[in-house]
């Protein structure tokens, strides 16, 4: 669904080696190391402020670490030259939690999808148009093409962001809380889309999904990384990550875990015992 | 001579109209007046020192554009409107300091403030035309990246647009165009030519392509309309251009409001 019919993207491997990100005295990530193989699907879970968005910004080469190395396709992103970094970025698509935009600009949905094109494609008008039409068609929002982006609801804008990722035909997709603002129907469609990506038939893209909602992690994801206070709390299989004990430690409260239709649901069951007055 | 005046009005209207789309889109409407005051400060200081005014004015404009670009790169979350406002106040201070120190004829200095289409030389018009062509080529080549830059910086960066390089190139080109176009309306009024036609186009344009075309048309109406009114009624050209461009913006607001009422937006 994400990669084009005619051209299969080369999946991108990525890694963080002893990465620290500090802003003033705040430590957003601390000595974090993580390796993701090409084609792997990784869910990144953690409470607010755990460092999920920071890690995604590192992997998109939008943020330089204070110390440590960020690797894309086996190369140190910040040792590579600007042109090589731009070429690597062209193979990445990012879906933001919410796209900050200037409401003054009367861009149509097609215009916005066009803005997201990789630099190598941006000058080829015919290919840009073909990719826009194809992405909107694949996402089922072809009817939105001429509508002004600023007039869309939050959920509709999120669908357009997914179309932008599709149009880039990437080797790596970074999704930062992509279900924000989507209605239940679209949340389910998003999970189904990610599950489809996880199947061998359409493999060809590496995916990193950051979320704090456990049931939004599709069943086909190979690996779950639990992140807390800028450190990796757990890195392994979903069945081992999604236990009441681990999720309780992650979120700092008591939780109950239920498994339905291959997915895990995490339900809050009150504050941590130590916080309950006797 | 009449031909050169009209050519200057046409080229000035079109180029400031197109430039204004991105100046207003970047939310830095004070760019025009900030850069214009840099040119003025350069011109005034050159007059005080006995140097040729135009090259120093252009150099000062470019230095200011470069400083703004550096600030935007060093602090990506910086509000360009605030930086431009600070630049404006500094350059205004320098310009008036120079005027206070100047002991000779004030007429050339005042022409930098108010401008005069009627004293435009053919060489100025040709320079304006060359810069206008450069601007059109720049926008044609980079319009998708420029649109991404004004629409959403995070999107532009994630899409691989080289935000710092593009912002720097745009600001330097804008500085040059503003400095050369000072002859039409002067430092105090060029703000309106960069802001009003583009703001009007954003009110009524349904896409970025429409905004670009409409802003050029509104810029043309402002400069040519202002010029002819000034010529026929023997009034100051700069003031007439400003008033016409403001009327254009007012009409656009009314049209936009009528459309909203038509769509049932309260």
């Amino acid at each position: 669904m994400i990669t084009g019919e005619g051209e299969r993207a080369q999946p991108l491997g990525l890694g963080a080696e002893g990465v620290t990100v500090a802003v003033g005295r705040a430590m957003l990530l601390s000595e974090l190391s993580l390796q993701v193989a090409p084609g792997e699907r990784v869910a990144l879970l953690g409470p607010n402020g755990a460092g999920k968005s920071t890690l995604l910004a590192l992997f998109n080469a939008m943020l330089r670490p204070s110390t440590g190395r960020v690797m894309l396709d086996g190369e140190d992103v910040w040792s590579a030259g600007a042109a090589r970094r731009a070429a690597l970025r062209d193979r990445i698509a990012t879906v933001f939690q919410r796209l900050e935009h200037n409401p003054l600009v009367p861009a149509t949905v097609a215009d916005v999808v066009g803005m997201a094109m990789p630099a190598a494609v941006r000058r080829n008008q015919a290919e840009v148009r073909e990719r826009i039409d194809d992405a909107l068609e694949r996402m089922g929002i072809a009817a939105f093409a001429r509508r002004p982006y600023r007039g869309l609801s939050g959920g509709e804008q999120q669908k357009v962001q997914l179309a932008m990722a599709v149009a880039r035909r990437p080797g790596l997709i970074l999704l930062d809380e992509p279900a924000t603002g989507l209605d239940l129907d679209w949340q389910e469609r998003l999970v189904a889309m990610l599950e489809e990506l996880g199947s061998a038939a359409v493999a060809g893209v590496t995916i990193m999904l950051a979320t704090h909602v456990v049931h939004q992690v599709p069943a086909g994801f190979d690996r779950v990384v639990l992140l807390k206070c800028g450190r990796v709390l757990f890195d392994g299989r979903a069945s081992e990550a999604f236990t009441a004990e681990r999720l309780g430690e992650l979120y700092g409260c008591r939780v109950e875990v239920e498994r339905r239709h291959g997915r895990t649901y995490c339900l809050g069951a009150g504050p941590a015992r130590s916080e309950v007055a006797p | 001579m009449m031909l050169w005046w009209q050519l200057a009005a046409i080229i000035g209207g079109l180029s400031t109209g197109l430039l204004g789309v991105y100046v207003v889109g970047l939310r830095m409407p004070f760019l025009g007046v900030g850069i214009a005051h840099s040119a003025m400060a350069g011109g005034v200081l050159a007059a005080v020192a006995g140097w040729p005014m135009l090259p120093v004015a252009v150099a000062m404009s470019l230095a200011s554009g470069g400083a703004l670009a550096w600030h935007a790169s060093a602090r990506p979350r910086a509000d360009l409107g605030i930086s431009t406002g600070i630049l404006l106040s500094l350059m205004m201070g320098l310009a008036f300091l120079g005027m206070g120190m100047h002991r000779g004829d004030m007429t050339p200095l005042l022409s930098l403030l108010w401008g005069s289409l009627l004293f435009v030389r053919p060489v100025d018009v040709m320079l304006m035309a060359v810069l206008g062509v450069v601007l059109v080529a720049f926008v044609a080549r980079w319009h998708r990246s420029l649109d991404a830059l004004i629409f959403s910086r995070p999107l532009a960066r994630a899409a691989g647009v080289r935000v710092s390089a593009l912002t720097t190139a745009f600001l330097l080109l804008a500085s040059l165009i503003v400095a050369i176009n000072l002859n039409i309306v002067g430092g105090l009024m060029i703000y309106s030519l960069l802001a009003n036609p583009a703001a009007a186009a954003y009110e009524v344009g349904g896409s970025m392509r429409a905004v670009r075309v409409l802003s050029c048309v509104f810029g043309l109406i402002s400069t040519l309309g202002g010029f002819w009114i000034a010529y026929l009624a023997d009034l100051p050209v700069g003031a007439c251009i400003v008033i016409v461009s403001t009327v254009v913006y007012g009409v656009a607001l009314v049209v936009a409001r009528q459309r909203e009422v038509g769509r049932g937006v309260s």
Side-chain angles (χ1 to χ4, degrees):
Chain A
M1 195 171 191
I2 293 275
T3 49
E5 290 291 336
E7 44 189 297
R8 179 66 52 86
Q10 278 295 106
L12 210 58
L14 52 144
E17 297 177 359
V19 163
T20 295
V21 176
V23 177
R25 288 184 180 178
M27 198 71 90
L28 305 183
L29 293 177
S30 180
E31 292 286 324
L32 186 142
S33 292
L34 187 69
Q35 296 297 325
V36 177
E40 210 174 357
R41 277 87 43 191
V42 179
L44 199 59
L45 262 95
N48 296 334
K52 305 185 295 291
S53 299
T54 306
L55 190 56
L56 294 193
L58 282 178
F59 285 139
N60 195 17
M62 289 173 75
L63 178 69
R64 192 170 192 156
S66 311
T67 59
R69 297 201 306 169
V70 177
M71 312 294 288
L72 283 175
D73 218 15
E75 282 184 67
D76 180 348
V77 174
W78 294 101
S79 294
R84 179 66 190 141
R85 196 158 48 245
L88 286 168
R89 258 193 197 150
D90 267 4
R91 295 171 59 193
I92 303 172
T94 303
V95 176
F96 295 99
Q97 190 170 355
R98 188 170 183 79
L99 183 64
E100 286 174 34
H101 68 280
N102 179 356
L104 184 70
V105 178
T108 62
V109 166
D111 288 338
V112 175
V113 176
M115 290 175 200
M117 290 296 160
V121 175
R122 219 172 285 147
R123 272 170 264 159
N124 185 338
Q125 294 294 332
E127 186 171 355
V128 167
R129 268 196 294 274
E130 184 272 318
R131 284 192 183 211
I132 292 170
D133 293 344
D134 177 65
L136 295 178
E137 190 67 43
R138 280 166 188 272
M139 294 306 300
I141 52 171
F144 285 16
R146 309 294 346 144
R147 283 177 62 183
Y149 182 85
R150 63 188 174 189
L152 301 179
S153 70
E156 288 169 337
Q157 289 181 355
Q158 216 49 5
K159 293 172 198 173
V160 175
Q161 273 213 76
L162 292 170
M164 287 152 70
V166 170
R168 284 177 73 79
R169 297 178 184 167
L172 166 66
I173 304 175
L174 303 169
L175 302 116
D176 189 359
E177 309 275 5
T180 303
L182 294 181
D183 57 34
L184 191 58
D185 171 37
W186 263 90
Q187 285 183 28
E188 290 305 305
R189 287 169 74 167
L190 178 73
V191 172
M193 188 184 86
L194 295 174
E195 270 169 5
E196 188 188 341
L197 278 168
S199 71
V202 287
V205 63
T206 310
I207 306 173
M208 184 170 270
L209 165 70
T211 180
H212 59 258
V213 182
V214 176
H215 69 259
Q216 282 173 3
V217 177
F221 269 49
D222 316 302
R223 191 170 151 196
V224 172
V225 175
L226 303 181
L227 208 60
K228 188 173 187 179
C229 301
R231 293 172 188 273
V232 174
L233 191 69
F234 173 84
D235 181 356
R237 296 170 62 84
S239 57
E240 295 162 21
F242 294 158
T243 63
E245 189 186 3
R246 283 228 162 83
L247 292 175
E249 187 187 354
L250 182 70
Y251 292 111
C253 64
R254 284 186 289 150
V255 302
E256 289 173 6
V257 170
E258 280 188 31
R259 289 195 174 79
R260 289 182 191 173
H261 312 297
R263 277 154 64 191
T264 305
Y265 291 79
C266 177
L267 308 164
R273 287 189 195 287
S274 57
E275 293 174 20
V276 180
Chain B
M1 200 59 208
M2 191 75 167
L3 174 70
W4 291 108
W5 300 342
Q6 290 189 76
L7 269 177
I10 290 168
I11 298 166
L14 289 173
S15 56
T16 52
L18 185 55
L19 190 63
V21 170
Y22 296 100
V23 169
V24 172
L26 284 168
R27 294 186 179 277
M28 47 193 314
F30 286 107
L31 176 75
V33 75
I35 297 294
H37 278 78
S38 303
M40 273 171 50
V44 169
L45 294 175
V48 171
W51 297 335
M53 281 171 56
L54 184 65
V56 181
V58 168
M60 194 77 156
S61 303
L62 287 174
S64 296
L68 283 174
W70 172 82
H71 185 56
S73 305
R75 296 182 63 85
R77 287 197 165 268
D79 186 326
L80 285 175
I82 293 174
S83 356
T84 320
I86 293 168
L87 174 78
L88 164 65
S89 59
L90 171 67
M91 291 301 160
M92 198 184 278
L94 285 177
F96 285 101
L97 181 71
M99 282 183 174
M101 291 165 66
H102 188 58
R103 295 285 169 258
D105 179 15
M106 293 290 281
T107 312
L109 302 187
L110 292 175
S111 77
L112 282 174
L113 270 177
W114 303 104
S116 177
L117 191 63
L118 303 182
F119 293 109
V120 165
R121 300 167 303 168
V123 66
D124 296 329
V125 179
M126 283 188 266
L127 200 53
M128 287 167 65
V130 169
L131 283 176
V133 170
V134 172
L135 176 67
V136 170
F138 180 79
V139 171
R141 170 68 181 75
W142 298 108
H143 73 91
R144 221 177 279 282
S145 299
L146 284 165
D147 290 353
L149 185 66
I150 61 170
F151 179 70
S152 168
R153 273 179 178 246
L155 164 62
R157 294 182 69 208
V161 173
R162 296 174 72 176
V163 170
S164 296
L166 189 63
T167 307
T168 303
F170 172 75
L171 287 176
L172 290 179
L173 183 57
S175 304
L176 210 49
I177 290 172
V178 168
I180 299 301
N181 276 277
L182 271 187
N183 287 324
I184 301 181
V185 284
L188 292 180
M189 296 193 190
I190 202 159
Y191 167 78
S192 67
L193 264 188
L194 283 173
N196 295 359
Y202 275 116
E203 285 294 334
V204 293
S207 68
M208 279 307 292
R209 179 178 293 187
V211 168
R212 280 189 286 269
V213 172
L214 284 172
S215 188
C216 290
V217 171
F218 294 159
L220 196 60
I221 291 171
S222 303
T223 49
L224 267 187
F227 166 74
W228 276 106
I229 291 169
Y231 182 74
L232 295 173
D234 195 20
L235 295 169
V237 177
C240 291
I241 288 174
V242 171
I243 291 166
V244 172
S245 72
T246 310
V247 170
V248 167
Y249 178 67
V251 171
L253 271 185
V254 172
V255 170
R257 180 67 193 147
Q258 289 300 318
R259 279 190 193 166
E260 284 174 0
V261 170
R263 286 199 302 264
V265 180
S266 60

